[in-house]
Amino acid sequence: MSTGASSIFWQLSRPRSAADRQRARRMAFGVAGSGALLLGALAILTLRVGTASSYTCDDSGCYTDLGVNGPPDGGLAPYVVESGLRGGTAIGAVLLVVPFVLLALQALRTGTAARERRLAALSLAGATRRDLRRLAFLEGTRAAVIGALAAGPLYLLLWLVLGPALPIGSKMLPQPEWPILVGWLVMVAAAFPLGGLVAAQAARPAAVSPLGLTRRQQRPLTSAHAVAPVVSAGLIAIFLWRSSFMHQLGVGGAAAATVALAISSGPWVILFTGWLAARRRGLVTSMAGRRLMADVRTPGRVVGVMLAVGISYGIIATLVVDVTGPDAHDQKFYLVGMAGAAVAVAVAAVVATFSLVVGATEQVLDNARATAILVALAASPAFVSKIVRRQMLLAAVPATVLGAVLGWLVFGVLVVGSEDEGVGPKLAVALPAAMAAAALSATVGALVAALAVRPTIRSSSGPENLRTP
């Protein structure tokens, strides 16, 4: 294709509307957050062998003096330095990538209806399907490359917070070295094809329907959505039943099956929560429930992550009970590590809940006329914002709390409880603590997400939207 045509495509791919700019910013932020965490995992995995830490051992056992004693050359925490712990810490950093990836993928749906109408208009003007997909490819590439470029400075900020800012013996990230630079350059290079391919895939409905039929009917849940949770629950039961014979493999299999159950149950949790809320007498709760039932797949993907977040809270609570038993030693080492894990899970909860902004924004934009009619009939934009806020709370909080109960049940009563019969009272206290932490983090994320939707609600409440088709 000629240089002039390429220049035209590049100009057309630039974000022009508010929805396009919002989508590009959120996708870039998701890519940048994912990249920074991946660089952190790379820094941990490429740490020089033999680096000292504050983890010392003697005849009575191994102990940690976090923030008190440590070598002057780094003072890294044992979770990063010790060979038996380094891999788990790196895996934890990689798992934190999931909410940021979800945010980037969900961001592609912001303003999708208007975007599809624009692509359909270009198709009527003579653009081919290949042209439309190339345009979408350039849009995704631009946002992904910007995010990948921002991942480097964001990692340096993360290193300042988790490195020099922490006391000796508790630093989580080593000084940046050449593997980080190489990894960053590889990430930027990979962003070119990957970001464009994902965006081009998201543009397929508009490319397939060039006559402007952009209103997409919601796809119902299939039999696969019904079978997956049942199979996951069966695998949990099997692994736990055979855990006494399979040992760590049984517990690991139960953990993997629990995560699979959380992800596959997301749409059903949304459907059930929306059904219960729609039956309530309160107008705000009832309308919020019906909005949830209108599209269960989009928030269902987020709820799957929120269930996994809640499971993490339940596991952390039960492990705290396990390591504070009478036979436990070096409790500071375990408790500090679990506190760090709890903070990381809280961040994941806020980021994952913020992904609900995408679905709510798309819903408001697609129903701008209904929102304008509601406001014209004496309702206020603040009332609509209240409905959307209740919708996000219903989507995030029950799922996270349910996940905390599931994590406590599987890894508390059936695992820790089977090893020590005297932990019953402690486990009883751990459950409400896990539920409270899960509810608090999900509530904060939902409230922050609701604030981000308010500008869209105000713009959709104007009288000019009464003529919107």
Side-chain angles (χ1 to χ4, degrees):
M1 186 170 292
S2 64
T3 305
S6 300
S7 177
I8 293 175
F9 273 105
W10 185 254
Q11 291 295 327
L12 289 175
S13 67
R14 296 178 60 184
R16 299 184 182 275
S17 65
D20 290 338
R21 290 190 293 270
Q22 190 179 61
R23 178 176 64 250
R25 284 195 299 266
R26 287 174 180 166
M27 183 177 177
F29 176 75
V31 174
S34 304
L37 290 170
L38 288 176
L39 290 177
L42 178 63
I44 294 173
L45 292 176
T46 57
L47 190 65
R48 293 191 307 271
V49 178
T51 302
S53 74
S54 58
Y55 194 58
T56 58
C57 297
D58 54 26
D59 294 337
S60 59
C62 297
Y63 301 90
T64 307
D65 292 326
L66 294 175
V68 179
N69 297 321
D73 56 339
L76 296 172
Y79 320 107
V80 178
V81 176
E82 301 300 324
S83 59
L85 304 175
R86 187 184 306 161
T89 305
I91 291 175
V94 173
L95 291 177
L96 285 176
V97 171
V98 175
F100 287 94
V101 172
L102 178 65
L103 177 61
L105 294 177
Q106 292 284 80
L108 289 174
R109 295 201 56 187
T110 303
T112 298
R115 178 168 172 264
E116 287 183 352
R117 284 191 287 269
R118 179 166 62 89
L119 294 177
L122 290 174
S123 180
L124 289 175
T128 64
R129 294 183 180 182
R130 182 179 179 182
D131 295 334
L132 297 181
R133 288 175 179 168
R134 184 182 181 188
L135 182 61
F137 181 89
L138 292 175
E139 291 177 350
T141 298
R142 184 193 300 269
V145 170
I146 292 175
L149 290 173
L154 184 60
Y155 170 75
L156 293 179
L157 178 62
L158 185 65
W159 168 71
L160 290 174
V161 174
L162 299 180
L166 294 179
I168 293 177
S170 58
K171 303 178 187 299
M172 297 298 297
L173 287 177
Q175 291 186 355
E177 297 183 355
W178 65 267
I180 300 301
L181 178 60
V182 174
W184 182 36
L185 295 177
V186 171
M187 187 181 303
V188 173
F192 276 95
L194 293 180
L197 289 174
V198 173
Q201 183 71 16
R204 287 185 62 185
V208 173
S209 303
L211 296 179
L213 303 176
T214 58
R215 289 206 174 270
R216 298 157 295 166
Q217 296 182 353
Q218 298 298 334
R219 294 173 296 172
L221 297 178
T222 63
S223 57
H225 290 88
V227 172
V230 177
V231 173
S232 301
L235 290 176
I236 292 174
I238 293 174
F239 280 119
L240 290 177
W241 175 50
R242 305 292 296 179
S243 61
S244 58
F245 301 97
M246 303 174 68
H247 303 292
Q248 293 185 357
L249 180 60
V251 177
T258 303
V259 174
L261 176 63
I263 295 175
S264 60
S265 300
W268 297 105
V269 173
I270 286 291
L271 184 63
F272 182 69
T273 303
W275 179 76
L276 288 180
R279 294 170 60 89
R280 298 291 298 272
R281 293 185 178 180
L283 179 61
V284 175
T285 303
S286 178
M287 295 184 69
R290 293 187 180 278
R291 287 175 63 89
L292 281 178
M293 294 177 65
D295 179 17
V296 298
R297 285 196 173 193
T298 300
R301 289 187 286 266
V302 180
V303 166
V305 178
M306 298 306 296
L307 281 168
V309 166
I311 290 172
S312 301
Y313 276 118
I315 294 174
I316 292 173
T318 55
L319 290 179
V320 169
V321 172
D322 188 32
V323 302
T324 54
D327 298 331
H329 66 281
D330 197 13
Q331 295 183 1
K332 181 187 291 186
F333 168 75
Y334 294 103
L335 293 178
V336 171
M338 291 176 191
V343 172
V345 171
V347 173
V350 173
V351 174
T353 309
F354 190 76
S355 300
L356 292 170
V357 171
V358 178
T361 300
E362 184 70 10
Q363 208 171 31
V364 171
L365 291 174
D366 279 350
N367 298 278
R369 185 179 183 182
T371 302
I373 292 175
L374 184 62
V375 173
L377 295 176
S380 64
F383 178 76
V384 180
S385 298
K386 188 177 182 180
I387 295 175
V388 174
R389 182 169 61 248
R390 187 69 55 84
Q391 174 188 354
M392 292 186 174
L393 288 171
L394 288 173
V397 177
T400 313
V401 174
L402 177 62
V405 175
L406 180 61
W408 175 86
L409 180 66
V410 173
F411 294 93
V413 175
L414 299 181
V415 177
V416 177
S418 64
E419 297 176 357
D420 188 355
E421 298 180 355
V423 299
K426 290 184 178 181
L427 282 176
V429 176
L431 177 60
M435 295 173 63
L440 179 62
S441 60
T443 300
V444 171
L447 294 179
V448 172
L451 291 177
V453 186
R454 291 177 64 179
T456 305
I457 294 175
R458 286 195 297 267
S459 64
S460 301
S461 302
E464 66 276 4
N465 292 297
L466 292 174
R467 301 181 62 183
T468 302

